[in-house]
Structures are given as structure tokens and as C-alpha cells.
């Protein structure tokens, strides 16, 4: 365990103490977020240059960096074209040929003095072809004419850092490594280091900044070298250890052991017009196991659009209700809350159970009655937005908390709702599939269930991209669908921030479409500004087939279930996130008919946007789409929100290092199985390091 140096240097030493770092440079470094020696140690190169070999001039290939030695044959300033500007040219030769070197920025006197014919130089740079000649622009030159073996090495290249030269950064990092790397202790269990082939951290830092000459260069370049892997692993290990402890910490809390009464669940199962899929049954089984156990459930259900999460959540709610408890469903938006409420309400009233909706727009008069009903336990299930977190919302006996689309809520809000009961069970549902790498970090403290199967009878949706120039064909296609007796959605994104312009855009689009399609077909307009009553009226008409096509802003993202709708046209499609597009598309393909989704990009759609639409065209699998979206946009943008523990990795890269994350998770679990609160002396340092890295985020009495 550990490599403690007796007199270790302080890693918090400010950077001003390095040689060559004056106040001005210090300011620049601060702006880059570098304050201490430790910050600098963990600023890793993003690539390397192989300077271990010399080539001969004839071996150098255009487009590749190379290094050679030669004699200066000629050096002079020459005019550029016919203008007054000049550049500096040097011709260097060896036994095999000649190479032209060019500088556009230089100090004339210095160049003239140093570049003298006959002198031997070492040159590094990338060769290019220009007007039939091979040349190197702004090469790096070394005037050491003796072959110095110390100069033959692998050089680190640091991410571009404004106002600092590569040379300066290299110099500072070398100093930091030389004087401080040995003060970085390694607090990974011995068996983990052996199993994963890890280096002590001090050595890992040294090798990252100054790779040994015999390193495998390709490995280094791809970030797969043992040194970098060690640093990434170390970061992941402590993350996973913290998450595992948090997950376990909830488990050791006293919770409530429900029993299966079947009083409502069985009648519901009978009333459903379908039987649950194997995946729904499996996930429900996992939930039951948690709910019957005497500790609080903390589980995440992931499933693609339409995989049937709601029914599973309803079943869980009924188990709680059968035991005399209440359930609460928290949704991120009013529309989502309403949609959930409709579904829950539909089934619960059939079972003779009382269910209510509470949002910011619930009238005051209704609100009070509702709060009384909740406090007295008559209302068995409450669905709502943030409004249900308010302090005066109290439950007689809250036994189950269901949170939809949790990544829009913080851990804090999860906690706030749970506090309204006595360690209630918690079920988190995400409508957006989340790639495993992200869910392991974001939801690492939750047990996970995946509904990886769609109910039978769904026909896959065909997705196509249509340019606006193909409008006539698009309209022909829409008419054909309508003539078959099917219905069609037209979706417009919220173009501007303000609701008024959204309304205007939607209205204009609707009127234009009415003209284009003609009076044979009738359409309806649905937007966020409509009164709920009118909204419902339009939706009802569409459901009953009185309206053939529906023009809508994103209000139909969730909830509308019209099996007769066979096509969806999404305008300005690239303005939606992939997850949202996938959600939207899930509104069709619910009946027996072949279904279509047509994506219409804006005229000024970027290359990136185009690429994202291509993904939609090539896959119907929410998980595949999510992976691709993550790769294109990176974790931060993918989530749309800044999440603690996601963006602030010091060295790890979630996409590149996914396999290390899995390994770290496995090992953290194994460690906790051995010693569930890290109390044995051999893990003292691990425990201390964990506390130090997690700080207050590890709110656990057990790791105090
Ligand atoms: P999700 O919330 O996962 O998007 P829902 O629970 O809203 O999915 O279900 C989508 C639709 O599929 C609903 O109309 C629901 O009634 C129906 N459904 C759910 N489970 C099944 C099943 N096992 N067989 C057939 N239809 C189902
Ligand atoms: Mg749903």
C-alpha cells in the first residue's frame, strides 16, 4: 500500500514558485485554471512527438512529421512574389538530397547571424509539397551539431494554451514532475494494482510528461499507455468507490418491507388489454424484490420510448398502495406531469383509487382540498411538477417516490421529495436512454433495470431526410398517407425563446399547410399557448379521426397515443436534440400500418446537424442513438446540464476510457464486498483519500 515519502513537497505550492514563472505568466496560468503544482502535474499532454530517430532527407514523406540532420547550403531573405513582404529561406542538404525551410515570421538579424552556410543543424517539422518542391514551414531547429542522445526522445505536446508557448509549458511541467511527482502518494490497494497492471502514481505522472525512450509510441498517442491508464483508473476508482458506498449507504438505512397483497395489481393485470413483455416482467420482478426488502429501493428504470415504463411504475405504485402507503410521481414539466396523470388516473379510477395532479397552475381553491386529501391519505397517488416539493405538501404516508427524467432534477430534489416520507422507496425513470458509460457515472449510486424490448406488434419506423426543395414530393407522400385513411403529424420546434413568436411560427406554418394540402383534408393546430380545454378538444378530435393532420409545437413529445397516425414530418429537425427526435418519432408506429418519419432540415443546417439527422435515419434503437449523440456532442452537451462528477474529470475521457470505467467499477464493488465500510487498517489510506476527494458529496454517516 502507498508510496509515502517522508518529507513530501507540498502539492498545493503555487505555480509562482517555479523557475521562470513571474507574475505575468502566473496570471496566464490562473486563467487556464492552473493554480498549484498539482494542477500542472495533472495537465497531461494530449499527444506526443516521436523525436527518437533521424531520417535521411530522401526518406521524409510529405504530410508526416520527421526529423533529420544536415548542412546549411544556403540561407537568405527573399521577397514574396512581387510584393514588398519577405520570407526567410534556408536550404539544408545531406548525402541523399536537399530540403527547403521557410519562415514567414522571424527576426532578420538573428536569422542572418545564425543560419550560416556550412553549419550542421537538426531539423524537425512536417514536410509538404509546394510548387513541385518539398519544404518545411517554420521547422524547429537545433544547432547542436553533435548528436546528443538526450535530445533523442519523445516530446509531450500539451493542449493549446493561450498565451503560452509549448516550450514554456514543457519546461514548467518538467520542473513540476522533477520536484513534486514523488510527493504524489499512491493509494490504490495492492491487489488492484497487480490485477490492472498499474504503476505507482508518481511514476505514472513522470511517464506521461516524460515518456521513456523505449515506450510504445502508438500506445502513447492513443492514450493507452500504462502511465495514462493508471491516472485514469485512479480517478475512476475513487468515483466508483464513492458511488458504490452511496448506493450501499441507502441500503443500510432502515426502510419499509412491503408485502405483495395483489389487491390492486392483480385486477390491473386482468384489466390491461395486453400482457406484459418479458422485459417488463423481469424489471417488475427486480422492483418487487427491492420493495419487499427492509431497506429503501433506489432503482433506475431505463427503456426506450414506448417500451412500457409507465405500466411498470403503476404496478410499483399499486404495491405501495396495497400496503396502505401513498406514491408520488415527479415530472420535469407540466405537460409531462399531465400526461402521466392521465395514464395513472385512467387505471386507478377503474380500481376505485383516488389520484391527483398538482402543478404550478393548480388553482388555489383546488390546491387546498388536494393538500387535505393528501395529508389524510385519501389521495393515494400524487402526480406533479416541482410544485409537489413545496413544504406544505405533506403526505399521510409516502411510501414510494417515482421520478421521471431524473437527469433534469438534481440529487437534491430527489432527496427533498424522499424526505416527505420515512425512507420511502425511490424509482427513477428515464425516457431517454443513457449510454452505459454515462449512467455508470451519473446514476452509479442507483441499481439499474433496463426494459430492452418493445411490446409486440410495433412496425419499425422508416425515417427519411427531405430537403425543402423536395417539398412537392413530401406533400404527395403526405396526401397518399391521408388518402389511405391514416393521420399525420407536423412538428415545429420552438424557434424563438418567446412564446409569442412560437405561436406566430406555428400559426403561419399551419395556415401555409392548409393552403398546400387543400380543403379536402382538415387539420388542427396545437401549441403551448392554447388553453388546456382547447388543447384537449384538438387532441380529442385528432384521436377520433375528425382531424386528419395535426400541426404542433413539441407538446406532443409525450403522451399522445394515436395508433392511426402513420407519419410524422419534423421541420427544422436539426434544432432538436437526438433524444428528443427519437421521442417525437416514437409517437408514430403505434398501430399496424407501416410508419414514417420525415426529417426536414433547415436551409442553413450545419454539417454537424446533418450528421445527427443521418444517425436518426440509420437507427431506431434509442441506445444506439444515445451512444452516437454522446460521441458527437460530448457528455456535457449530451446531458444539457452540468452534472457534478461528469465534466470535471481531471484526466479521464468518458468516451475513450469506457473499459477502464467498467474495471474500476468492478474493483470498487469487490473492495466493498471485502470491507463494506473500509474500516480495516489496510484500507485506511483508501478511506482517507475517498473522503478527501468526495468531500461533502459523500453524505454518509458511515464514512465519517
Ligand atoms: P414509455 O413510458 O416507456 O414510453 P408507455 O408505458 O407509455 O411507454 O407505453 C407505451 C404504449 O404501449 C402505451 O400505449 C401502453 O399502453 C402500451 N404498452 C405498454 N406495455 C405494453 C405491452 N406489454 N404490450 C402492449 N402494449 C403495451
Ligand atoms: Mg410514458
Amino acid at each position: 500500500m502507498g508510496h509515502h515519502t517522508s518529507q513530501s513537497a507540498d502539492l498545493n505550492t503555487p505555480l509562482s514558485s517555479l523557475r521562470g514563472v513571474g507574475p505575468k505568466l502566473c496570471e496566464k496560468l490562473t486563467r487556464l485554471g492552473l493554480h498549484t503544482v498539482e494542477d500542472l502535474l495533472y495537465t497531461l499532454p494530449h499527444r506526443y512527438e516521436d523525436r527518437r530517430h533521424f531520417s535521411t532527407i530522401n526518406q521524409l514523406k510529405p504530410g508526416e512529421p520527421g526529423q533529420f540532420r544536415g548542412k546549411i547550403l544556403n540561407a537568405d531573405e527573399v521577397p514574396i512574389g512581387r510584393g514588398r513582404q519577405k520570407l526567410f529561406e534556408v536550404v539544408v542538404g545531406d548525402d541523399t538530397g536537399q530540403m527547403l525551410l521557410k519562415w514567414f515570421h522571424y527576426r532578420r538579424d538573428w536569422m542572418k547571424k545564425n543560419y550560416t552556410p556550412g553549419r550542421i543543424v537538426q531539423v524537425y517539422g512536417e514536410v509538404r509539397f509546394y510548387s513541385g518542391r518539398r519544404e518545411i514551414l517554420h521547422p524547429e531547429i537545433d544547432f547542436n551539431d553533435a548528436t546528443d542522445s538526450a535530445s533523442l526522445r519523445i516530446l509531450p505536446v500539451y493542449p493549446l494554451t493561450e498565451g503560452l508557448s509549448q516550450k514554456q509549458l514543457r519546461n514548467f511541467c518538467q520542473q513540476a514532475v522533477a520536484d513534486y511527482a514523488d510527493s504524489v502518494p499512491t493509494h490504490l490497494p495492492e491487489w488492484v494494482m497487480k490485477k490492472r497492471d498499474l504503476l505507482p502514481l508518481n511514476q505514472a505522472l513522470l511517464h506521461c510528461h516524460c515518456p521513456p525512450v523505449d515506450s510504445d509510441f502508438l500506445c502513447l498517442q492513443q492514450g493507452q499507455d500504462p502511465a495514462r491508464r493508471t491516472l485514469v483508473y485512479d480517478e475512476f476508482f475513487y468515483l466508483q468507490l464513492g458511488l458504490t458506498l452511496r448506493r450501499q449507504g441507502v441500503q443500510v438505512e432502515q426502510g419499509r418491507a412491503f408485502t405483495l397483497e395483489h389487491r390492486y395489481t392483480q385486477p390491473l393485470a386482468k384489466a390491461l388489454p395486453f400482457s406484459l413483455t418479458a422485459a417488463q416482467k423481469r424489471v417488475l420482478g427486480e422492483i418487487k424484490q427491492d420493495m419487499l426488502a427492509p431497506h429503501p429501493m433506489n432503482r433506475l428504470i431505463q427503456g426506450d420510448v414506448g417500451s412500457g415504463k409507465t405500466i411498470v411504475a403503476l404496478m410499483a405504485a399499486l404495491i405501495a398502495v396495497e400496503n396502505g402507503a401513498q406514491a408520488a410521481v415527479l415530472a420535469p414539466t407540466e405537460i409531462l406531469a399531465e400526461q402521466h396523470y392521465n395514464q395513472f388516473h385512467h387505471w386507478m379510477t377503474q380500481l376505485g383509487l383516488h389520484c391527483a395532479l398538482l402543478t404550478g397552475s393548480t388553482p388555489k381553491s383546488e390546491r387546498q382540498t388536494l393538500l387535505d386529501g393528501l395529508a389524510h391519505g385519501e389521495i393515494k397517488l400524487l402526480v406533479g411538477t416541482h410544485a409537489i416539493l413545496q413544504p406544505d405538501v405533506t403526505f399521510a404516508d409516502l411510501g414510494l417516490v417515482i421520478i421521471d427524467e431524473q437527469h433534469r432534477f438534481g440529487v437534491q430534489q430527489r432527496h427533498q421529495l424522499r424526505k416527505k416520507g420515512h425512507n420511502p422507496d425511490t424509482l427513477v425513470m428515464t425516457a431517454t436512454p443513457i449510454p452505459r458509460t454515462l449512467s455508470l457515472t451519473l446514476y452509479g449510486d442507483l441499481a439499474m433495470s433496463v426494459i430492452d424490448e418493445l411490446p409486440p406488434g410495433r412496425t419499425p419506423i422508416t425515417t427519411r431526410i427531405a430537403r425543402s426543395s423536395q417539398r412537392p414530393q413530401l406533400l404527395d407522400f403526405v396526401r397518399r398517407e391521408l388518402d389511405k385513411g391514416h393521420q399525420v403529424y407536423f412538428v415545429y420546434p420552438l424557434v424563438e425563446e418567446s412564446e409569442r413568436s412560437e405561436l406566430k411560427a406555428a400559426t403561419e406554418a399551419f395556415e401555409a399547410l392548409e393552403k398546400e394540402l387543400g380543403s379536402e383534408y382538415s387539420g388542427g393546430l396545437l401549441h403551448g399557448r392554447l388553453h388546456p380545454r382547447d388543447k384537449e378538444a384538438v387532441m380529442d378530435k385528432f384521436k377520433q379521426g375528425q382531424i386528419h393532420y395535426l400541426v404542433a409545437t413539441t407538446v406532443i413529445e409525450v403522451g399522445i397515443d394515436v395508433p392511426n397516425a402513420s407519419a410524422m414530418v419534423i421541420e427544422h429537425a436539426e434544432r432538436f436534440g437526438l433524444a428528443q427526435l427519437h421521442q417525437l418519432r416514437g409517437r408514430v408506429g403505434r398501430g399496424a400500418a407501416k410508419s414514417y418519419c420525415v426529417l426536414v432540415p433547415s436551409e442553413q443546417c450545419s454539417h454537424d446537424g446533418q450528421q445527427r439527422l443521418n444517425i436518426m435515419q440509420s437507427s431506431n434503437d434509442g441506445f444506439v442513438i444515445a451512444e452516437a449523440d454522446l460521441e458527437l456532442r460530448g457528455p456535457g452537451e449530451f446531458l444539457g446540464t452540468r452534472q457534478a462528477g461528469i465534466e470535471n474529470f481531471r484526466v479521464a475521457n468518458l468516451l475513450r476510457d469506457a473499459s477502464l470505467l467498467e474495471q474500476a467499477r468492478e474493483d470498487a464493488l469487490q473492495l466493498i464486498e471485502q470491507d463494506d465500510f473500509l474500516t480495516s487498517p489496510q484500507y485506511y489510506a483508501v478511506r482517507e483519500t475517498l473522503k478527501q476527494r468526495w468531500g461533502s458529496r459523500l453524505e454518509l454517516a458511515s464514512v465519517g
Side-chain angles (χ1 to χ4, degrees), residues 88-161:
F88 202 88
E89 284 191 351
V90 174
V91 178
V92 175
D94 69 6
D95 295 343
T96 69
Q98 297 184 1
M99 181 66 71
L100 176 63
L101 313 179
K102 278 182 179 175
W103 284 263
F104 289 95
H105 310 283
Y106 53 92
R107 278 179 297 155
R108 185 172 171 272
D109 295 342
W110 191 90
M111 296 297 273
K112 288 221 146 169
K113 190 169 144 238
N114 285 282
Y115 287 88
T116 48
R119 201 166 176 193
I120 304 288
V121 287
Q122 294 182 13
V123 183
Y124 177 87
E126 191 178 307
V127 182
R128 63 166 201 170
F129 252 124
Y130 184 73
S131 332
R133 284 225 279 178
R134 292 192 310 162
E135 62 178 35
I136 303 179
L137 291 186
H138 289 259
E140 282 180 49
I141 302 292
D142 198 328
F143 288 102
N144 263 338
D145 48 5
T147 305
D148 176 4
S149 69
S151 72
L152 292 176
R153 58 193 172 119
I154 297 172
L155 269 188
V157 181
Y158 295 91
L160 209 76
T161 38

Side-chain angles (χ1 to χ4, degrees), residues 309-310 340 343 558 587:
K309 294 179 289 291
T310 314
H340 278 309
Q343 288 199 55
V558 269
R587 296 299 109 194

